[in-house]
Amino acid sequence: MKKISALLLVLTIVISAMTVFAAATSENLLLNPSFEDGINGWISPDGKWSTVENESGYEPQDGSFFAWPTGASRENTYIYQDIALSSYNIGNTVIFNIMVCNYDQAPHDMGRIELLFLDAGGNTIKGYSQDQRNPDWNSQSIIATIPAGAVTARVVLHAIWYVGNDVDAYYDNGSLVVTDEKYSMVYISEKDGKEKAVSNDILNLIADNGLSQNPSDFVWTSSYNAGATVDENGTVTMITDCEDSVAIYAKDKKTGVTGIYRINSDIPNLVAPSGSAWASENLQRAEDLGLIPEILKGADLTQSITRAEFAAVSIKAYEALSGAQAIPAINNPFTDCGDTEVLKAYNVGITSGVSATEFEPNTLLNREQAATMLTRVFKKVSLAGWTLATDGQFSLEYTKGAPFADDANISDWAKDSVYFMAANGIISGVGNNKFAPKNTTSEEEAVSYANATREQALIIAVRMVENLKQ
């Protein structure tokens, strides 16, 4: 069996498409990535794992050893390794790659790889996984961006028992690198929405990297060929009545980013954020950065955003920029709103009510209000001692551009925020050198001329985090 370097495989794929990849990418951050020093550097909670030079004809893929839970019998087990992210930024891309295979005894034991992002308390912020039940060595990759609040990346190697006495999931030649290159996720959907299937069923999968849905732009593979096969068009044919999950992968040929679609699984398939076609890339960035609050998950992002929804987006931006978790106010001053995210925004000091006792959570937000609220987020993070009450005592340093043609329509209290945001490329005009701060005529109000949409709010939050993070 040929020895293949998983790290070289993934780097070759990406270098071919992006010549600056190596200059922007870290070294392999895993300790003992090819298990040449036993499992040192890896944590084995149950002590079941060790390394071998060969097993039933399977050979190492790099060096002289590969990892295998030799002490496990008819049980599930795992090892993991933690990597500090203190040297890297929110939004950087993490690429985790490793070779994995399973002994050829149907229905095959399973290898599952996980990439988890943990906060300072060790809690999982976001997690990704891929399953492998193929009896041949395969290179498995998970590519994800560092979300707000993440201080540790944890890679987990699972061995999941299905058949025989041993637990036959083998691992070798792992790598984890961090790069400042940006990637788009690959989402896979089924034409008719089917996620359950039995023998002889045909499923038609569609892969989408935000730029193309052409099946020839992806490499299609199945985690369990005895359970289901997939052809070059993304057409899945079920071979058996699989009670267990079958994972279908579509790897973007240009970037190496891999999407996963699970059949007969309790794990839900990922769904791309729903918005306008022009906003898809930035919405994916918002998702990757952890800026989409729960209230907007699954919502129509083309619709206008409310005060309560924007408060939730603002809190996500605040947490991303500050690295701190916002806490809701203990005493709620509002009689018309008890939303936790609103109370966080109120407690942090980036928003207040329309009166001492009312917040008007369902009132739509206009563009000058959006600019003002997010500027307060920046002030709170960057200006020591700033509060909403002392706002007039602080000034922002920026080069103000030429006035907008509708400058007279911008409220005095919003002008500094509007021009600060424009100067930093966060909120731009709407054409003809106009900012459209608010609806000023009945015609504009009828078409929601200056209302900020949900997708616009998320895009400016992305720009906030990427342009202003210190």
Side-chain angles (χ1 to χ4, degrees):
M1 189 176 295
K2 293 182 179 179
K3 297 181 179 180
I4 302 173
S5 168
L7 178 58
L8 289 178
L9 273 176
V10 71
L11 291 183
T12 299
I13 290 170
V14 179
I15 288 173
S16 65
M18 304 178 183
T19 56
V20 297
F21 182 90
T25 304
S26 72
E27 297 180 350
N28 188 357
L29 301 178
L30 290 179
L31 299 175
N32 189 22
S34 292
F35 305 99
E36 297 305 289
D37 188 21
I39 61 166
N40 288 335
W42 297 84
I43 296 174
S44 176
D46 59 12
K48 303 285 187 179
W49 290 68
S50 63
T51 59
V52 296
E53 293 181 276
N54 60 74
E55 168 59 27
S56 302
Y58 289 92
E59 299 179 356
Q61 298 299 286
D62 183 62
S64 302
F65 298 91
F66 64 85
W68 173 38
T70 56
S73 177
R74 296 175 176 264
E75 58 189 309
N76 300 337
T77 180
Y78 66 93
I79 56 176
Y80 70 92
Q81 187 171 148
D82 288 343
I83 299 90
L85 298 175
S86 56
S87 299
Y88 306 102
N89 297 321
I90 295 169
N92 282 169
T93 301
V94 176
I95 304 174
F96 171 42
N97 178 269
I98 197 163
M99 299 294 289
V100 56
C101 76
N102 311 90
Y103 179 67
D104 194 3
Q105 182 179 5
H108 303 125
D109 293 339
M110 179 183 289
R112 172 178 293 155
I113 64 172
E114 280 189 301
L115 173 62
L116 307 176
F117 291 105
L118 311 180
D119 64 17
N123 303 303
T124 299
I125 299 173
K126 287 193 101 173
Y128 305 83
S129 69
Q130 290 190 5
D131 296 339
Q132 169 67 287
R133 297 178 71 181
N134 198 306
D136 298 317
W137 283 103
N138 281 272
S139 175
Q140 297 294 116
S141 297
I142 296 177
I143 304 181
T145 55
I146 300 174
V151 299
T152 302
R154 173 172 293 179
V155 295
V156 189
L157 311 179
H158 293 267
I160 300 172
W161 178 82
Y162 280 91
V163 64
N165 290 320
D166 297 327
V167 189
D168 292 297
Y170 312 142
Y171 290 97
D172 200 8
N173 196 17
S175 70
L176 185 141
V177 296
V178 180
T179 174
D180 59 12
E181 292 291 336
K182 295 179 175 62
Y183 294 82
S184 294
M185 290 282 287
V186 174
Y187 290 95
I188 307 177
S189 58
E190 206 279 329
K191 183 178 179 181
D192 297 317
K194 294 171 63 176
E195 295 186 351
K196 303 293 182 181
V198 297
S199 176
N200 298 321
D201 276 358
I202 304 294
L203 286 77
N204 297 296
L205 303 187
I206 301 169
D208 187 349
N209 62 7
L211 298 174
S212 172
Q213 293 184 354
N214 188 336
S216 64
D217 289 335
F218 305 89
V219 177
W220 296 86
T221 54
S222 170
S223 69
Y224 184 21
N225 287 329
T229 60
V230 59
D231 66 17
E232 67 276 8
N233 295 312
T235 301
V236 175
T237 302
M238 299 300 297
I239 305 301
T240 62
D241 294 338
C242 294
E243 295 181 0
D244 304 310
S245 174
V246 177
I248 304 297
Y249 307 111
K251 178 179 286 187
D252 188 328
K253 290 180 179 179
K254 289 186 177 180
T255 66
V257 178
T258 302
I260 181 172
Y261 189 84
R262 293 182 172 89
I263 304 167
N264 298 343
S265 173
D266 293 331
I267 302 174
N269 288 306
L270 294 177
V271 178
S274 172
S276 303
W278 62 266
S280 60
E281 183 177 349
N282 281 303
L283 291 178
Q284 182 55 57
R285 294 293 297 159
E287 173 69 19
D288 293 340
L289 291 168
L291 297 176
I292 302 180
E294 287 300 318
I295 195 172
L296 294 184
K297 294 288 179 70
D300 181 356
L301 300 182
T302 65
Q303 298 300 305
S304 299
I305 193 166
T306 66
R307 282 171 50 83
E309 291 169 344
F310 196 80
V313 173
S314 298
I315 283 298
K316 290 292 187 183
Y318 166 78
E319 292 178 339
L321 287 169
S322 68
Q325 296 295 308
I327 300 172
I330 297 176
N331 298 316
N332 179 7
F334 306 121
T335 59
D336 61 347
C337 180
D339 183 85
T340 300
E341 300 306 307
V342 168
L343 293 179
K344 288 180 182 179
Y346 176 78
N347 196 40
V348 169
I350 57 179
T351 187
S352 60
V354 297
S355 72
T357 59
E358 293 182 317
F359 185 78
E360 291 190 1
N362 298 319
T363 298
L364 299 182
L365 202 79
N366 63 39
R367 283 167 51 85
E368 69 175 10
Q369 291 169 338
T372 301
M373 191 178 296
L374 282 183
T375 300
R376 290 173 184 167
V377 169
F378 175 77
K379 290 177 178 178
K380 180 67 175 180
V381 172
S382 62
L383 302 179
W386 178 91
T387 66
L388 197 53
T390 62
D391 182 56
Q393 302 173 24
F394 294 82
S395 60
L396 293 168
E397 295 183 5
Y398 67 97
T399 301
K400 184 176 180 179
F404 286 107
D406 55 354
D407 176 82
N409 293 335
I410 303 174
S411 301
D412 289 340
W413 52 263
K415 282 190 176 182
D416 199 33
S417 297
V418 165
Y419 286 104
F420 172 75
M421 287 291 183
N424 285 282
I426 296 169
I427 302 181
S428 59
V430 297
N432 298 321
N433 192 35
K434 290 186 176 182
F435 184 77
K438 54 183 174 287
N439 300 318
T440 56
T441 69
S442 57
E443 289 81 8
E444 290 174 350
E445 185 175 358
V447 296
S448 298
Y449 173 68
N451 289 346
T453 65
R454 292 161 172 168
E455 61 190 3
Q456 289 170 350
L458 291 169
I459 289 169
I460 60 179
V462 168
R463 291 173 183 165
M464 277 277 293
V465 172
E466 294 186 335
N467 295 3
L468 297 180
K469 186 170 178 63
Q470 299 176 335

